[in-house]
Amino acid sequence: MLRTHHCNELNLQHLNQKVTLAAWVKTLRDKGKIIFVDIRDKFGITQLRAEEGKSPPEVIETMRKLGREFVVQVTGTVIERASKNPDLPTGEIEIEVEHIQILNPSKVPPFLIEDETDGGEDLRMRYRYLDLRRNTIRKNLELRHRIAQATRHYLDSQGFIEVETPMLIKSTPEGARDFLVPSRMNLGEFYALPQSPQTFKQLLMVSGFDRYFQIVKCFRDEDLRADRQPEFTQIDCEMSFVTQEDVLQMFEGLIRYLFQQIKGLELPAFPRMRYDDAMRLYGSDKPDTRFGMPFVELNELVKGKGFQVFDSAELVVGICAKGCAEYTRKQLDELTEFVKRPQIGAKGLVYVKCNADGTFKSSVDKFYTETDLQQWATKMQAEKGDLLLILSGETNKVRKQLCELRLEMGNRLGLRDKNQYSCLWIIDFPLLEYNEEDKRFYAMHHPFTSPKPEDLPLLDNESEYANIKANAYDMVINGVEVGGGSIRIYQRPLQEKMLSILGFSPEEAKAQFGFLMEAFEFGAPPHGGIAFGFDRLCSLFGGADTIRDFIAFPKNNAGRDVMINSPAPISQAQLDELGIRLVNKKA
RNA sequence: GGAGUGGUAGUUCAGCUGGUGAGAACGCCUGCCUGUCACGCAGGAGGCCGCGGGUUCGAGUCCCGUCCAUUCCGCCA
């Protein structure tokens, strides 16, 4: 080793020891006759000291030449500081430098390599290796490592084995857009990168592996968000001979173990909420349950009083914001503007202030009496001082809009504390979802999800498709879908039926999924599983909204890596070899 | 594919209804400083105001286009 100690190690117990350190120059403080240099490695900071007339002249000379991020190797004696720094673990000592060597100089870094950097996102990504020198980012990756290790430990202890599945697989029409890889040896044909190892893990169950997991990269070529990357990591799991209840117990166990190990938190049992209830009460299949403020439907109270907007609405629904009756005109206007933004798309917002003196003030006083408003307030369990916020319109749309408003109110009222964790299961998802554009049903989870046994007869009646429930479940924490899974179909006839409902001809079904259905004919066990979004889980544990700071080398929201500058054009020779001709070459 | 926000010094940003010097802080350079640790003090360098058009006597500022970044909607089984 080029060092005897790292930079967070030395203290008064090492007094008078001769040590060698190797690290990066963090800051220089040249006081004239005396020079202090802080050096930094991933472990911590140690102060170097040199003094004119005392230190060797070549040491003084070299130390004056140093710049930020120079890599140096220093030999010297551990001495007690004349003035100590209680903020540093090494703050009681310093190194009296006897020899210093510049192992590598550095250009001036383009941003400050400090916890509070002055660098913007773009610049940090271009010099990601410098960004990763910062404590905050490195700690995020250390957190990710610990979560991964704890996950492996838990699943191993429960009899799961980690099996790798291929990255070069086959494109399928269902689901997200695939990333494709041309095959040189099979000209004109393409591999696809896996959107998830779904079919392979099912085949491992057919193979009798009983319990499988993998912390694995998945690829989806869709537009990105702060919490979405084109390549992301899943904790992918599958178990044989299980019911939904077994899967929920096992993986609730995993998440509670992680909270215990990583955060030191003992979480209560996770509540279960049916999908229909989640949509009715929160307008979302991933409700943030850190706070209440559930939806209250008001149709029967508001109709027929001459207010055309409500009379013509399919659903009139509101939330009660505790203690907000004092909101000013300006604040109410802000909320109205919020729901009218194009992304939300509400036409307007009706409010009712439940005044402290028991009176009501609303934006619809023209149409409704005090008695009417009192009824609303009672139904919404409002007290004096509360504010009712009501939206109306087509059911699905208005629920989505009110969901956004509820989250906004949660933010405004400080009810979404990053250090508080509210976990729950959403269960009883619909099996199928109608797509207006394509005029057909799609699998809500994926085509291998099994229907609830009691709903099997509905598969024969197209008008009932939308009412079929699936053995599918999501885990939601703080309004984030961290994982989801299902009990799978394991019998060929049912899988064939499912694919035909999804619009596959028997020939297409055989071409796409014949291998899976054939496997089902060789003694496939009942099985089911789940996959967790590992990057999201890490950001949640780290209290961040973006997953990028938990990925060593992330891509920007156009899917570009601005450090290596990918994607990039390839040579004509490569294209020729792959038999590819570009039609729309970007100039 | 659509909407919002932003682009001015190495960096983060300010720059009002268009009107004589394009600014601050941090960073960088030079000098001074024997207990600093957000060191201090003095001085200095550093700018195609993203790019291209337009309006105007005059544009960092207004308009149009375009590129880049970012957030969201669509999309993501």
Side-chain angles (χ1 to χ4, degrees):
Chain A
M1 290 291 287
L2 300 183
R3 65 181 182 218
T4 58
H5 298 79
H6 62 65
C7 285
N8 205 36
E9 220 176 341
L10 299 169
N11 54 47
L12 287 177
Q13 292 178 338
H14 302 84
L15 272 193
N16 302 318
Q17 284 187 22
K18 181 162 276 197
V19 298
T20 300
L21 300 177
W24 288 263
V25 172
K26 180 177 182 290
T27 43
L28 302 135
R29 289 181 297 277
D30 184 349
K31 294 287 296 176
K33 293 248 169 28
I34 186 168
I35 306 169
F36 298 105
V37 175
D38 289 343
I39 56 173
R40 178 203 65 231
D41 60 21
K42 73 168 256 187
F43 304 97
I45 295 166
T46 299
Q47 178 168 282
L48 311 179
R49 173 192 193 279
E51 185 179 332
E52 267 178 22
K54 191 171 168 195
S55 305
E58 68 274 14
V59 166
I60 301 282
E61 191 190 334
T62 305
M63 282 179 69
R64 290 224 159 96
K65 275 197 308 207
L66 296 177
R68 283 157 58 206
E69 303 308 317
F70 276 44
V71 183
V72 293
Q73 184 186 39
V74 180
T75 301
T77 306
V78 179
I79 60 170
E80 185 168 5
R81 287 202 198 182
S83 53
K84 295 176 177 162
N85 183 346
D87 297 333
L88 286 181
T90 61
E92 294 191 298
I93 58 96
E94 62 199 349
I95 310 299
E96 183 69 51
V97 179
E98 284 143 33
H99 179 75
I100 183 164
Q101 187 189 354
I102 296 173
L103 297 178
N104 211 348
S106 171
K107 297 210 290 191
V108 175
F111 53 87
L112 292 177
I113 300 177
E114 305 283 347
D115 291 358
E116 293 293 324
T117 183
D118 62 354
E121 179 97 357
D122 187 25
L123 202 62
R124 287 170 42 215
M125 288 305 161
R126 198 139 53 83
Y127 298 94
R128 184 62 165 175
Y129 45 87
L130 296 180
D131 199 28
L132 291 169
R133 271 184 207 167
R134 300 195 302 126
N135 277 320
T136 44
I137 305 294
R138 200 194 58 247
K139 284 193 169 127
N140 287 345
L141 292 177
E142 288 169 357
L143 173 71
R144 185 183 174 108
H145 166 77
R146 289 205 311 280
I147 297 174
Q149 293 308 311
T151 299
R152 288 200 167 92
H153 180 261
Y154 176 88
L155 293 174
D156 178 61
S157 76
Q158 298 294 323
F160 287 79
I161 72 160
E162 190 164 10
V163 180
E164 290 170 89
T165 51
M167 286 290 119
L168 296 174
I169 63 168
K170 185 170 73 169
S171 180
T172 56
E174 290 286 301
R177 223 171 270 120
D178 288 309
F179 279 101
L180 298 172
V181 180
S183 168
R184 177 186 56 81
M185 287 186 287
N186 304 274
L187 270 193
E189 297 187 315
F190 294 81
Y191 299 102
L193 303 180
Q195 296 176 29
S196 83
Q198 182 61 34
T199 50
F200 290 95
K201 68 176 175 179
Q202 291 192 246
L203 292 170
L204 288 170
M205 294 303 102
V206 177
S207 305
F209 276 67
D210 200 63
R211 291 180 178 187
Y212 140 95
F213 86 101
Q214 190 179 186
I215 297 179
V216 63
K217 276 285 178 70
C218 302
F219 305 86
R220 293 178 191 173
D221 187 9
E222 295 292 347
D223 288 357
L224 305 177
R225 293 285 187 279
D227 65 346
R228 245 193 262 160
Q229 286 272 300
E231 51 176 320
F232 60 100
T233 304
Q234 281 191 345
I235 306 171
D236 189 54
C237 309
E238 198 76 3
M239 307 168 77
S240 289
F241 303 115
V242 286
T243 62
Q244 171 169 309
E245 186 60 30
D246 298 315
V247 178
L248 299 192
Q249 291 293 341
M250 175 63 70
F251 292 100
E252 183 167 326
L254 168 65
I255 296 302
R256 293 177 70 185
Y257 177 77
L258 292 179
F259 271 99
Q260 186 192 66
Q261 294 293 308
I262 307 294
K263 311 282 295 181
L265 290 174
E266 292 290 342
L267 294 181
F270 296 6
R272 317 262 176 97
M273 190 184 296
R274 291 171 47 241
Y275 171 87
D276 289 344
D277 292 332
M279 296 308 291
R280 189 168 49 79
L281 293 170
Y282 299 100
S284 168
D285 61 0
K286 43 179 178 160
D288 185 343
T289 49
R290 278 174 296 185
F291 64 107
M293 216 186 285
F295 293 9
V296 179
E297 302 189 349
L298 296 169
N299 279 18
E300 68 273 23
L301 291 182
V302 302
K303 298 269 192 182
K305 304 282 174 127
F307 185 41
Q308 188 56 39
V309 174
F310 281 2
D311 285 349
S312 64
E314 188 182 358
L315 177 67
V316 179
V317 57
I319 51 174
C320 171
K322 286 283 163 204
C324 294
E326 302 297 318
Y327 263 35
T328 60
R329 181 62 198 240
K330 184 170 171 243
Q331 286 171 300
L332 291 167
D333 283 349
E334 277 171 15
L335 293 178
T336 306
E337 284 308 306
F338 177 82
V339 297
K340 285 168 85 171
R341 279 165 40 213
Q343 281 89 341
I344 304 211
K347 292 280 198 303
L349 172 67
V350 169
Y351 69 84
V352 181
K353 290 176 169 183
C354 306
N355 294 325
D357 61 4
T359 64
F360 296 93
K361 168 70 193 148
S362 83
S363 50
V364 288
D365 285 343
K366 219 186 296 179
F367 302 98
Y368 298 96
T369 65
E370 286 274 306
T371 319
D372 292 331
L373 298 178
Q374 176 64 59
Q375 284 182 330
W376 300 9
T378 304
K379 174 135 198 214
M380 294 176 75
Q381 301 189 340
E383 298 168 329
K384 290 171 186 172
D386 292 351
L387 175 69
L388 311 182
L389 297 168
I390 300 162
L391 294 174
S392 63
E394 192 260 307
T395 301
N396 290 337
K397 282 184 184 162
V398 76
R399 280 180 173 163
K400 206 168 174 184
Q401 292 158 0
L402 192 59
C403 171
E404 297 294 335
L405 181 61
R406 174 178 172 272
L407 294 175
E408 171 68 13
M409 291 309 296
N411 285 335
R412 282 170 179 250
L413 296 173
L415 300 173
R416 305 182 74 193
D417 178 2
K418 285 192 192 316
N419 295 312
Q420 194 194 327
Y421 297 92
S422 177
C423 313
L424 75 160
W425 290 104
I426 304 294
I427 57 171
D428 296 354
F429 274 83
L431 181 71
L432 299 163
E433 203 175 21
Y434 191 71
N435 182 296
E436 288 290 345
E437 255 175 60
D438 300 350
K439 301 286 178 212
R440 76 160 175 99
F441 281 92
Y442 279 87
M444 191 156 186
H445 184 54
H446 58 47
F448 317 110
T449 300
S450 64
K452 293 274 181 198
E454 61 270 27
D455 287 352
L456 280 172
L458 305 182
L459 289 174
D460 295 321
N461 184 351
E462 191 167 344
S463 64
E464 292 287 351
Y465 283 175
N467 297 321
I468 303 171
K469 298 299 183 199
N471 284 314
Y473 34 81
D474 278 357
M475 185 186 286
V476 174
I477 305 179
N478 293 0
V480 177
E481 180 201 322
V482 296
S486 61
I487 300 298
R488 325 297 183 190
I489 294 167
Y490 62 98
Q491 292 154 319
R492 176 159 192 152
L494 183 55
Q495 189 65 69
E496 282 178 336
K497 175 87 187 169
M498 186 68 191
L499 290 172
S500 94
I501 287 173
L502 296 176
F504 286 75
S505 70
E507 295 73 32
E508 289 167 337
K510 187 156 181 261
Q512 287 295 336
F513 300 113
F515 64 97
L516 185 66
M517 291 194 288
E518 190 173 33
F520 287 170
E521 294 182 294
F522 289 98
H527 60 284
I530 194 167
F532 290 94
F534 186 58
D535 310 282
R536 280 186 194 175
L537 209 53
C538 293
S539 68
L540 197 71
F541 273 80
D545 294 322
T546 168
I547 63 173
R548 285 184 204 142
D549 284 349
F550 296 81
I551 296 171
F553 299 103
K555 294 186 169 47
N556 73 7
N557 71 351
R560 299 200 70 88
D561 180 325
V562 293
M563 184 179 66
I564 66 170
N565 195 19
S566 71
I570 58 173
S571 70
Q572 191 57 49
Q574 282 175 299
L575 288 170
D576 291 345
E577 197 168 49
L578 296 167
I580 292 177
R581 195 173 70 235
L582 300 179
V583 285
N584 261 333
K585 217 172 185 175
K586 224 174 161 183

